[in-house]
C-alpha cells in the first residue's frame, strides 16, 4: 500500500467516525508507517473469522446471507475485512469506542431526520392492524423493495453501456445486433413461458402404469434438459437473476418424482448458462465477456451432444430413468460450476478485469479438485486472451487499444503543450491512470509497473520514434504468476532504459538543468553584476512603464558580455514580468487544490504600484519531452527561489550604495556624531544580515542539495526516479530558504522592507547634502588659478566644510533624524530577534536542523544569545501557565 493510499484511508476513516482533536491523521499515519510489513499478505483464512462474527452478531443469519451475497459478487478484500472485524470483536476497548461512536451518530442522525416527514403513516402500536391495512402495508413495502433490488432490464442495461461508450469514443461506434435477435425468443435457447393452451385437460400421469410413467418422464426430461417444456414437467417464469424452478405433476409416483428432482438442477443450470451467454455475448459487455461466452458455448455444445445421444437411446427404447441419471451425473458438476460462475458474474455486473479476477479466484479456490480447476483454467485462459492482447500492445509499444473500456489503464485527453502554460497541470499523473476495479487480481502487484511501462514508451512514441520491446513475447494466463511477471519486468526495464537514455543523452536533461541553475539560482555571478548594472534604471520604473523588448535586449547584452555566453541553451532564457510580487505568488501556489484557491485567484489585484524590480522574473522555454521534468510547476518553484534571491541581491546593492555615499561624511568634522555612528552601525548590521542570508541560501542550501540531486540522477533507473529527485531538490530548497513557512516568510519580508526604507532615508539625506555642497562650492574663476587664488580656494573649502557640518547638525536636530535612526534600529533588532527565535523553535521542534546554521551565522559573537534565552524562558513560563 502506497503512502498516499494510507493517508487517504486514514482520513476517510476519521471522517466516517467523526473523530476530532488528538494528534489528527498524522499521528495514526506515522504509527501505521512504523508497523508496515515488507511483504504483502494476499490471502487470509476467513472461515474461523466468519464463524466468530456470526456468533457475535445479533442476527447471524442476516450476516451470513450478506457475506455470501458479497462473496458471490466477488467483492474485493472481503476476507481481509472479515478477519479485521473479527479482531475488533476481541478488543473490548475498541468495541466500547465503536459502540459509543455508533450511539452518537445515531443520535445526530435522529436529530437530523426528526424534522423530515415520511410518506407512509403507521397506526399506533396500541391499536391492532386490520387485515386490509396489513395488506396495504405489505404491498407498499413490496413495491419499495422490488424497485430498489430488481435489476434493470437487459435492453436498458445495453443501452446505458452503449451510450457510455459512444460518449467516450464518438468516432468508434459499438456494433449492435439487430432487434429481431432479441424479439424472437425461440432463438435464445431458453424456456419460453406461455399460458397453457385451451383444450381438453391431459390425462393425469399418476393414473398410468409405472412403466408408462417412467417413459413419459424420461421423454419430458430430455426436452427440459435443452430448454423446452415437457408435458408433465414445466418451467416456472424467472424474474431478474433468479434460478429456474420447475413444476412436476403432483400425481407422479413418489419414487420416480424423487429421481426427477435429482436431475432437474441440471436443467436449471442449463437455463442460467444459456441466459448468461445470450446476454453477455453482446458487444456492449466487452471483449472479455464475449470471449468467455464463446468458451462457454463450446462447452455447451458438448452438453447438447450428450443430450442428443441420450435421445437416440430413448428412441431405441434403451434409456430408462435410472440410466438417464447415471449418464447425466458426470455433466452435473460441470454445469453447476458454469452456472455458479455465470450467476456470480451477472450479480457482480463484471466486465473486463473484474471478470478475470473472479475467474482467477475460482480457479485458485478449486485447488484439490483437478476437474473443476481445469474447467475454470480453460475459461480463464479463453477470457484473458483479448485482455492480454491490450496488455501486450501497452507494455511492448505504449499503445492503448481498448474500445470497450476494459483495460486497467485509462487514457484521458490532455494536451502536452499545457505543461508549459498551466502551473497546476498534471499531464504525467493524469494522462494515463489506473482504474482499480479493472485490475485483475493476479496483476494487482504489477499494476504500477504496467502503468509506468506504457507511459515511458508512449513518451518516446510522441517524440516521433517507433519503439518496440525486443523481448516481446505473447503473454498467457497461468496459475504460475512468475511467467508473466518476468515478461512485464523485462518490458518495464526496457521502457525505463529507453526513455531515460533518450532524455539524458539525446535531450541532455542534466545540461538543461545546469543551465537553469546558472540563471534561476544565480550561479553566474558576473552575469548578474552586468545585468543589474544595465537594468537598474529600467527596473526602478513602475511595471506598466517598462518596455519588455528593451529588457530583452539588455538581457541579451548581459549574456554576451559574461561567461554565460558559453552556455548553449542561453537563448531559451526569457524575461517575465509577473502580475504579483513574490509573496503573493507564493500564496497562490500554496493555495493550489485547497479551499482558499478560488478566493485567492479571483481576488482583485492590490499591486497597483508594483515596481519593475518586484515584478521581474526569468522564464525558460522547455519543449517536449523535457517539459515532463521541467514543467510549469517546477519552473514556478525556480521562479520563486530566483525572485527571493534577486530581491535580496537588490537590497544588498542598495546597502552597499549607502556605504559608498557615506564615505563623503568622513570629510566633515561633525559635532553631533552620535546619530551618524548609529546609522553607520545599523547599516553594517543590515548588510551583515543580508549577506549572511544570501550565503546560507546559496552555499548551505542550494549547492549541497544540487550536488545530492546530481548524484542521484546518475543512479536513477527510470523517469519517475528523475521526477522524484528533481521535485525533492526544489522542495528542499524552498523549505530551507523559508519559502514554505508563511510565518518565517512574513518576518523576513518585514526585515527586507525595513532595510529598503532605511536605505531610501539615507539616500535622501545624502542627496540633500550633495545639493547643499554644490550650492556652496559654486565659483566664477576663469583661467588657471594664481597662488593667491589657490590659498583663497582652500580657505573657501574649509569654510564650506564648516558651514556644511553646521547645516547637517541643524538638519538632523530639526528633523528628528536621530529619532528616525533609533526607530529603524529598534524595528530591525526586534524583527531580527523574532526571526532568530522562530528559527530556534523550528530547528528543535520540527527537526529543521539546516536552519540552525542561520542562527550561528547571524549570532556569531553571542550578541543576541542572552535576549534569545530570555525569550525562551518567557515562552516556557507562559506554556506552564
Amino acid at each position: 500500500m502506497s503512502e498516499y493510499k494510507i493517508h487517504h484511508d486514514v482520513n476517510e476513516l476519521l471522517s466516517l467516525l467523526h473523530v476530532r482533536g488528538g494528534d489528527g491523521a498524522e499521528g495514526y499515519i506515522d504509527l501505521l508507517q512504523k508497523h508496515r510489513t515488507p511483504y504483502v499478505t494476499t490471502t487470509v483464512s476467513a472461515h474461523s473469522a466468519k464463524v466468530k462474527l456470526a456468533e457475535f452478531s445479533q442476527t447471524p443469519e442476516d450476516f451470513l446471507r450478506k457475506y455470501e451475497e458479497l462473496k458471490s459478487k466477488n467483492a474485493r478484500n472481503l476476507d481481509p475485512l472479515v478477519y479485521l472485524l473479527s479482531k475488533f470483536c476481541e478488543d473490548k476497548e475498541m468495541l466500547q469506542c465503536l459502540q459509543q461512536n455508533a450511539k452518537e451518530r445515531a443520535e445526530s442522525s435522529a436529530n437530523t431526520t426528526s424534522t423530515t416527514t415520511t410518506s407512509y403513516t403507521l397506526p399506533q402500536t396500541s391499536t391492532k392492524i386490520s387485515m386490509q391495512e396489513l395488506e396495504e402495508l405489505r404491498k407498499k413495502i413490496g413495491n419499495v423493495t422490488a424497485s430498489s433490488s430488481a435489476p434493470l432490464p437487459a435492453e436498458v442495461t445495453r443501452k446505458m453501456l452503449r451510450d457510455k461508450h459512444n460518449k467516450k469514443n464518438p468516432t468508434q461506434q459499438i456494433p449492435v445486433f439487430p432487434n429481431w435477435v432479441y424479439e424472437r425468443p425461440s432463438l435464445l435457447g431458453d424456456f419460453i413461458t406461455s399460458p397453457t393452451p385451451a383444450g381438453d385437460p391431459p390425462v393425469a400421469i399418476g393414473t398410468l402404469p409405472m412403466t408408462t410413467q417412467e417413459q413419459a418422464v424420461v421423454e419430458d426430461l430430455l426436452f427440459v434438459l435443452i430448454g423446452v417444456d415437457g408435458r408433465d414437467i414445466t418451467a416456472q417464469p424467472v424474474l431478474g437473476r433468479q434460478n429456474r424452478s420447475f413444476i412436476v405433476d403432483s400425481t407422479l409416483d413418489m419414487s420416480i418424482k424423487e429421481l426427477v428432482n435429482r436431475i432437474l438442477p441440471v436443467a436449471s443450470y442449463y437455463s442460467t448458462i444459456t441466459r448468461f451467454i445470450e446476454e453477455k455475448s453482446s458487444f456492449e459487455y466487452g471483449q472479455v465477456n464475449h470471449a468467455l461466452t464463446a468458451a462457454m458455448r463450446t462447452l455447451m455444445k458438448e452438453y447438447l451432444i450428450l443430450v442428443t445421444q441420450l435421445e437416440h437411446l430413448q428412441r431405441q427404447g434403451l434409456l430408462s430413468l435410472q440410466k438417464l441419471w447415471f449418464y447425466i451425473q458426470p455433466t452435473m458438476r460441470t454445469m453447476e460450476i458454469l452456472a455458479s460462475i455465470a450467476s456470480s458474474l451477472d450479480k457482480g455486473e463484471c466486465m473486463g478485469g473484474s471478470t478475470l479476477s473472479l475467474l482467477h479466484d475460482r480457479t485458485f479456490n478449486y485447488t484439490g479438485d483437478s476437474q473443476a480447476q481445469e474447467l475454470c483454467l480453460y475459461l480463464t485462459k479463453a477470457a484473458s486472451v483479448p485482455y492480454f492482447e491490450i496488455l501486450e500492445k501497452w507494455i511492448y509499444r505504449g499503445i492503448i487499444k481498448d474500445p470497450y473500456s476494459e483495460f486497467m489503464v485509462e487514457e484521458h485527453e490532455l494536451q502536452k503543450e499545457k505543461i508549459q502554460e498551466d502551473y497546476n497541470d498534471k499531464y504525467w499523473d493524469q494522462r494515463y491512470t489506473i482504474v482499480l476495479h479493472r485490475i485483475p487480481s493476479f496483476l494487482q502487484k504489477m499494476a504500477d509497473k504496467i502503468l509506468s511501462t506504457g507511459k515511458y514508451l508512449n513518451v518516446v512514441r510522441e517524440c516521433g520514434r517507433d519503439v518496440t520491446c525486443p523481448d516481446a513475447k505473447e503473454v498467457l494466463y497461468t496459475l504460475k504468476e512468475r511467467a508473466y511477471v518476468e515478461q512485464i519486468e523485462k518490458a518495464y526495464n526496457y521502457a525505463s532504459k529507453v526513455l531515460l537514455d533518450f532524455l539524458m543523452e539525446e535531450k541532455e536533461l542534466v545540461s538543461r538543468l545546469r543551465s537553469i541553475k546558472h540563471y534561476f539560482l544565480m550561479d553566474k555571478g558576473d552575469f548578474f553584476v552586468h545585468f543589474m548594472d544595465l537594468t537598474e534604471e529600467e527596473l526602478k520604473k513602475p511595471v506598466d512603464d517598462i518596455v519588455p523588448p528593451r529588457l530583452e535586449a539588455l538581457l541579451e547584452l548581459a549574456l554576451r558580455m559574461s561567461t554565460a555566453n558559453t552556455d548553449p541553451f542561453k537563448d531559451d532564457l526569457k524575461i517575465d514580468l509577473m502580475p504579483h510580487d513574490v509573496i503573493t505568488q507564493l500564496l497562490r501556489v500554496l493555495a493550489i487544490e485547497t479551499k482558499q484557491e478560488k478566493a485567492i485567484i479571483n481576488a482583485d489585484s492590490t499591486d497597483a504600484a508594483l515596481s519593475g524590480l518586484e515584478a521581474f522574473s526569468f522564464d525558460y522555454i522547455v519543449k517536449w519531452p523535457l517539459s515532463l521534468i521541467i514543467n510549469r510547476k517546477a519552473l514556478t518553484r525556480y521562479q520563486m527561489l530566483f525572485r527571493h534571491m534577486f530581491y535580496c541581491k537588490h537590497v544588498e546593492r542598495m546597502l552597499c550604495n549607502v556605504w559608498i555615499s557615506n564615505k563623503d561624511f568622513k570629510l566633515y568634522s561633525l559635532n553631533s556624531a552620535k546619530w551618524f555612528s548609529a546609522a553607520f552601525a545599523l547599516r553594517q548590521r543590515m548588510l551583515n544580515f543580508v549577506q549572511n542570508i544570501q550565503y546560507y541560501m546559496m552555499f548551505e542550501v542550494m549547492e549541497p542539495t544540487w550536488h545530492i540531486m546530481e548524484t542521484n540522477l546518475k543512479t536513477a533507473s527510470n523517469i519517475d526516479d528523475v521526477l522524484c529527485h528533481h521535485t525533492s531538490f526544489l522542495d528542499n530548497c524552498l523549505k530551507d530558504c523559508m519559502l514554505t513557512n508563511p510565518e518565517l516568510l512574513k518576518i523576513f519580508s518585514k526585515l527586507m522592507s525595513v532595510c529598503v526604507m532605511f536605505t531610501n532615508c539615507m539616500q535622501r539625506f545624502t542627496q540633500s547634502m550633495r545639493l547643499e555642497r554644490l550650492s556652496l562650492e559654486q565659483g566664477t574663476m576663469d583661467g588657471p588659478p594664481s597662488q593667491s587664488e589657490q590659498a583663497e580656494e582652500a580657505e573657501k573649502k574649509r569654510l564650506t566644510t564648516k558651514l556644511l557640518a553646521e547645516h547637517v547638525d541643524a538638519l538632523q536636530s530639526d528633523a528628528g533624524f536621530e529619532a528616525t535612526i533609533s526607530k529603524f534600529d529598534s524595528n530591525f533588532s526586534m524583527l531580527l530577534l523574532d526571526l532568530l527565535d522562530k528559527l530556534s523553535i523550528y530547528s528543535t521542534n520540527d527537526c529543521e536542523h539546516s536552519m540552525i546554521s542561520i542562527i550561528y551565522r547571524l549570532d556569531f559573537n553571542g550578541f543576541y544569545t542572552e535576549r534569545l534565552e530570555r525569550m525562551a524562558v518567557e515562552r516556557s513560563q507562559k506554556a506552564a501557565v
Side-chain angles (χ1 to χ4, degrees):
M1 182 182 287
S2 66
E3 186 175 350
Y4 170 77
K5 181 68 173 170
I6 293 175
H7 276 72
H8 174 75
D9 290 346
V10 168
N11 283 301
E12 284 289 312
L13 185 58
L14 293 178
S15 176
L16 288 171
L17 295 176
H18 300 290
V19 176
R20 299 287 184 273
D23 296 334
E26 295 300 326
Y28 299 106
I29 291 166
D30 293 340
L31 190 63
L32 288 172
Q33 292 278 29
K34 290 177 183 177
H35 292 85
R36 288 178 71 181
T37 53
Y39 54 87
V40 179
T41 305
T42 54
T43 59
V44 294
S45 176
H47 179 70
S48 59
K50 180 178 68 174
V51 172
K52 186 181 296 183
L53 280 178
E55 293 173 351
F56 182 80
S57 174
Q58 296 179 354
T59 55
E61 296 83 3
D62 293 341
F63 167 75
L64 292 173
R65 192 183 304 112
K66 190 66 178 178
Y67 175 84
E68 293 301 331
E69 179 187 345
L70 293 172
K71 196 71 175 175
S72 67
K73 290 183 178 181
N74 193 39
R76 294 204 174 184
N77 299 321
L78 178 61
D79 287 344
L81 175 63
V82 170
Y83 181 79
L84 179 64
L85 293 176
S86 69
K87 291 296 182 184
F88 284 171
C89 295
E90 298 173 0
D91 191 337
K92 293 183 179 180
E93 187 179 351
M94 175 70 74
L95 282 176
Q96 290 177 356
C97 178
L98 291 175
Q99 287 170 355
Q100 180 65 26
N101 185 270
K103 183 179 178 181
E104 292 173 358
R105 293 179 64 189
E107 290 175 355
S108 62
S109 177
N111 293 333
T112 305
T113 57
S114 61
T115 57
T116 61
T117 58
T118 58
S119 57
Y120 308 128
T121 58
L122 298 179
Q124 297 178 359
T125 55
S126 59
T127 61
K128 292 184 178 180
I129 302 176
S130 65
M131 292 301 296
Q132 184 179 357
E133 290 174 336
L134 184 62
E135 189 63 29
E136 290 178 0
L137 183 61
R138 185 184 293 114
K139 285 182 180 179
K140 290 176 181 179
I141 295 174
N143 291 336
V144 173
T145 306
S147 63
S148 61
S149 61
L152 293 172
E155 298 83 3
V156 177
T157 305
R158 284 195 296 269
K159 186 177 184 306
M160 289 172 59
L161 291 172
R162 189 162 55 249
D163 292 344
K164 182 180 177 182
H165 176 274
N166 293 340
K167 185 177 180 181
K168 186 177 180 181
N169 303 302
T171 59
Q172 188 176 5
Q173 301 291 322
I174 291 182
V176 181
F177 286 131
N179 290 332
W180 56 263
V181 173
Y182 306 107
E183 293 172 353
R184 299 181 181 181
S186 300
L187 296 175
L188 301 181
D190 195 16
F191 293 93
I192 302 173
T193 54
S194 58
T196 306
D200 297 332
V203 178
I205 191 171
T207 61
L208 301 175
M210 287 286 292
T211 307
T212 307
Q213 288 187 40
E214 184 177 357
Q215 290 175 356
V217 166
V218 168
E219 184 178 358
D220 273 7
L221 282 173
L222 290 175
F223 279 114
V224 170
L225 289 174
I226 57 173
V228 181
D229 281 335
R231 189 175 71 92
D232 301 301
I233 305 174
T234 56
Q236 289 273 60
V238 291
L239 293 174
R241 301 185 178 100
Q242 294 178 355
N243 293 326
R244 181 79 69 176
S245 58
F246 299 89
I247 300 176
V248 182
D249 195 316
S250 58
T251 63
L252 187 64
D253 185 77
M254 289 301 295
S255 60
I256 297 176
K257 193 173 183 179
E258 179 66 26
L259 204 52
V260 168
N261 288 333
R262 294 184 186 180
I263 298 173
L264 282 179
V266 180
S268 179
Y269 300 150
Y270 171 82
S271 176
T272 301
I273 298 166
T274 303
R275 278 180 285 143
F276 177 81
I277 290 174
E278 294 300 331
E279 181 182 353
K280 302 299 181 183
S281 58
S282 298
F283 293 102
E284 291 85 354
Y285 290 96
Q287 294 174 307
V288 172
N289 282 339
H290 192 80
L292 175 62
T293 55
M296 282 186 168
R297 283 185 194 276
T298 303
L299 296 173
M300 292 303 290
K301 286 179 183 178
E302 297 178 5
Y303 167 78
L304 292 174
I305 290 172
L306 172 64
V307 176
T308 304
Q309 292 173 347
L310 293 174
E311 288 178 354
H312 183 66
L313 290 175
Q314 191 263 343
R315 292 194 196 98
Q316 294 178 349
L318 300 176
L319 185 65
S320 64
L321 188 59
Q322 193 67 39
K323 283 185 178 180
L324 176 60
W325 169 239
F326 173 77
Y327 287 127
I328 208 71
Q329 279 189 74
T331 310
M332 181 176 283
R333 177 62 174 160
T334 300
M335 297 293 286
E336 181 184 4
I337 293 171
L338 290 177
S340 174
I341 291 173
S343 179
S344 296
L345 290 172
D346 199 23
K347 287 180 181 177
E349 299 178 353
C350 299
M351 289 179 61
S354 55
T355 296
L356 295 179
S357 294
L358 187 142
L359 291 171
H360 170 75
D361 293 342
R362 289 295 177 93
T363 306
F364 188 83
N365 291 337
Y366 281 128
T367 302
D369 187 345
S370 58
Q371 183 182 357
Q373 190 176 51
E374 187 177 348
L375 174 64
C376 290
L377 187 61
Y378 166 75
L379 293 175
T380 311
K381 282 183 176 179
S384 64
V385 169
Y387 193 91
F388 279 141
E389 286 177 355
I390 303 172
L391 176 66
E392 288 168 15
K393 286 184 180 178
W394 176 245
I395 64 173
Y396 292 150
R397 301 189 63 194
I399 300 173
I400 282 188
K401 191 175 182 182
D402 183 22
Y404 301 101
S405 301
E406 299 173 284
F407 191 50
M408 68 173 75
V409 179
E410 186 174 41
E411 183 178 7
H412 304 277
E413 292 297 329
L414 292 175
Q415 297 178 357
K416 58 178 177 287
E417 289 78 13
K418 280 194 173 182
I419 295 179
Q420 302 174 36
E421 301 169 4
D422 184 9
Y423 64 81
N424 196 23
D425 187 79
K426 293 184 178 179
Y427 180 89
W428 181 249
D429 295 328
Q430 291 186 354
R431 173 72 190 279
Y432 297 101
T433 56
I434 289 283
V435 183
L436 292 177
H437 68 270
R438 297 184 196 168
I439 306 175
S441 54
F442 53 88
L443 292 177
Q444 185 80 42
K445 297 178 185 177
M446 304 298 295
D448 290 335
K449 284 197 173 181
I450 290 171
L451 174 66
S452 300
T453 302
K455 282 168 68 174
Y456 296 161
L457 295 177
N458 185 265
V459 171
V460 181
R461 283 181 59 81
E462 291 198 1
C463 294
R465 306 179 101 196
D466 190 12
V467 287
T468 304
C469 179
D471 298 322
K473 294 180 182 178
E474 185 180 7
V475 182
L476 297 174
Y477 174 78
T478 172
L479 285 175
K480 298 178 181 179
E481 295 183 6
R482 193 63 194 165
Y484 45 76
V485 166
E486 288 179 354
Q487 289 176 249
I488 293 170
E489 288 279 4
K490 288 180 181 178
Y492 173 77
N493 293 333
Y494 170 76
S496 302
K497 186 176 185 303
V498 165
L499 181 56
L500 198 61
D501 292 346
F502 181 68
L503 290 178
M504 290 292 191
E505 297 174 9
E506 187 169 333
K507 297 298 180 180
E508 300 178 287
L509 174 62
V510 177
S511 298
R512 282 278 182 180
L513 291 174
R514 202 171 284 124
S515 172
I516 290 174
K517 178 175 178 278
H518 291 333
Y519 310 116
F520 286 87
L521 304 187
M522 302 182 73
D523 195 9
K524 294 286 186 182
D526 62 324
F527 160 71
F528 280 99
V529 171
H530 281 298
F531 179 74
M532 296 184 82
D533 287 342
L534 291 171
T535 60
E536 185 173 9
E537 294 301 321
E538 189 73 18
L539 290 178
K540 286 180 180 178
K541 300 177 183 177
V543 66
D544 294 333
D545 297 340
I546 294 177
V547 182
R550 176 170 172 77
L551 275 181
E552 294 281 357
L554 294 174
L555 171 65
E556 182 77 13
L557 184 61
L559 288 170
R560 297 289 182 253
M561 291 172 59
S562 64
T563 55
N565 192 37
T566 59
D567 180 15
F569 309 114
K570 62 180 178 296
D571 294 332
D572 291 329
L573 185 67
K574 301 297 177 186
I575 296 292
D576 190 10
L577 295 175
M578 308 293 287
H580 310 282
D581 60 18
V582 66
I583 304 297
T584 307
Q585 183 190 17
L586 175 66
L587 292 175
R588 287 170 66 90
V589 173
L590 291 177
I592 293 172
E593 294 185 350
T594 65
K595 294 179 181 179
Q596 293 80 21
E597 178 181 13
K598 197 170 183 180
I600 289 177
I601 291 177
N602 295 334
D604 295 334
S605 177
T606 57
D607 301 324
L610 202 65
S611 69
L613 187 83
E614 293 170 318
F616 177 77
S617 180
F618 282 141
D619 201 1
Y620 203 83
I621 298 175
V622 187
K623 295 181 180 179
W624 177 265
L626 289 175
S627 53
L628 282 173
I629 309 297
I630 313 169
N631 51 31
R632 175 49 57 188
K633 191 177 287 187
L635 282 174
T636 301
R637 291 186 174 106
Y638 277 118
Q639 283 181 332
M640 288 165 56
L641 289 167
F642 167 75
R643 297 180 73 187
H644 186 57
M645 292 191 298
F646 188 76
Y647 194 73
C648 289
K649 197 70 178 174
H650 164 69
V651 174
E652 182 194 9
R653 284 170 62 92
M654 291 179 70
L655 289 168
C656 289
N657 289 337
V658 170
W659 177 81
I660 293 171
S661 62
N662 286 349
K663 291 293 182 183
D664 295 341
F665 289 100
K666 293 185 178 180
L667 300 174
Y668 315 128
S669 166
L670 299 178
N671 296 326
S672 302
K674 183 179 179 182
W675 70 269
F676 193 71
S677 59
F680 276 33
L682 178 58
R683 183 212 65 217
Q684 194 59 36
R685 286 173 58 208
M686 288 180 173
L687 192 59
N688 177 70
F689 166 72
V690 174
Q691 289 177 339
N692 276 287
I693 285 289
Q694 286 187 90
Y695 181 91
Y696 161 75
M697 290 191 295
M698 298 186 71
F699 296 101
E700 295 188 19
V701 174
M702 294 178 187
E703 279 299 325
T705 314
W706 170 266
H707 285 296
I708 291 171
M709 182 190 72
E710 226 175 10
T711 305
N712 290 334
L713 289 182
K714 293 177 182 177
T715 60
S717 58
N718 55 63
I719 197 65
D720 283 303
D721 288 347
V722 174
L723 269 169
C724 181
H725 295 321
H726 185 231
T727 305
S728 177
F729 160 72
L730 289 172
D731 288 344
N732 288 336
C733 287
L734 286 169
K735 182 186 68 175
D736 292 339
C737 291
M738 301 179 288
L739 291 179
T740 58
N741 189 316
E743 193 173 9
L744 292 177
L745 189 63
K746 186 177 179 181
I747 299 171
F748 185 82
S749 176
K750 288 180 178 179
L751 278 166
M752 291 290 105
S753 299
V754 171
C755 293
V756 171
M757 292 168 65
F758 171 77
T759 55
N760 290 337
C761 179
M762 292 299 293
Q763 290 289 6
R764 285 196 300 270
F765 181 75
T766 304
Q767 287 174 4
S768 67
M769 287 282 295
R770 285 175 178 170
L771 290 173
E772 186 69 24
R773 179 177 180 180
L774 289 173
S775 65
L776 291 173
E777 288 184 350
Q778 286 180 353
T780 57
M781 183 174 55
D782 295 327
S786 61
Q787 188 173 3
S788 61
E789 288 175 339
Q790 287 179 355
E792 184 180 350
E793 186 68 22
E795 181 63 19
K796 186 177 180 180
K797 283 185 178 181
R798 188 182 65 78
L799 292 173
T800 300
T801 303
K802 182 180 178 182
L803 289 172
L804 193 61
E806 291 173 356
H807 171 76
V808 170
D809 287 340
L811 183 66
Q812 67 89 17
S813 178
D814 294 340
F817 203 80
E818 186 176 354
T820 303
I821 298 298
S822 178
K823 188 174 181 181
F824 276 125
D825 194 328
S826 175
N827 289 339
F828 180 78
S829 299
M830 181 184 66
L831 289 170
L832 185 56
L833 275 171
D834 196 14
L835 178 66
L836 293 175
D837 186 46
K838 291 292 189 296
L839 287 172
S840 177
I841 294 172
Y842 287 121
S843 62
T844 53
N845 295 352
D846 298 345
C847 300
E848 301 293 347
H849 300 306
S850 58
M851 290 185 181
I852 204 168
S853 60
I854 306 179
I855 303 175
Y856 295 144
R857 298 194 66 84
L858 297 178
D859 190 26
F860 63 94
N861 59 356
F863 181 74
Y864 302 105
T865 302
E866 184 180 348
R867 297 174 70 178
L868 285 172
E869 290 175 352
R870 193 183 311 127
M871 292 173 70
V873 171
E874 291 174 358
R875 188 169 53 250
S876 61
Q877 289 175 351
K878 288 181 180 179
V881 173

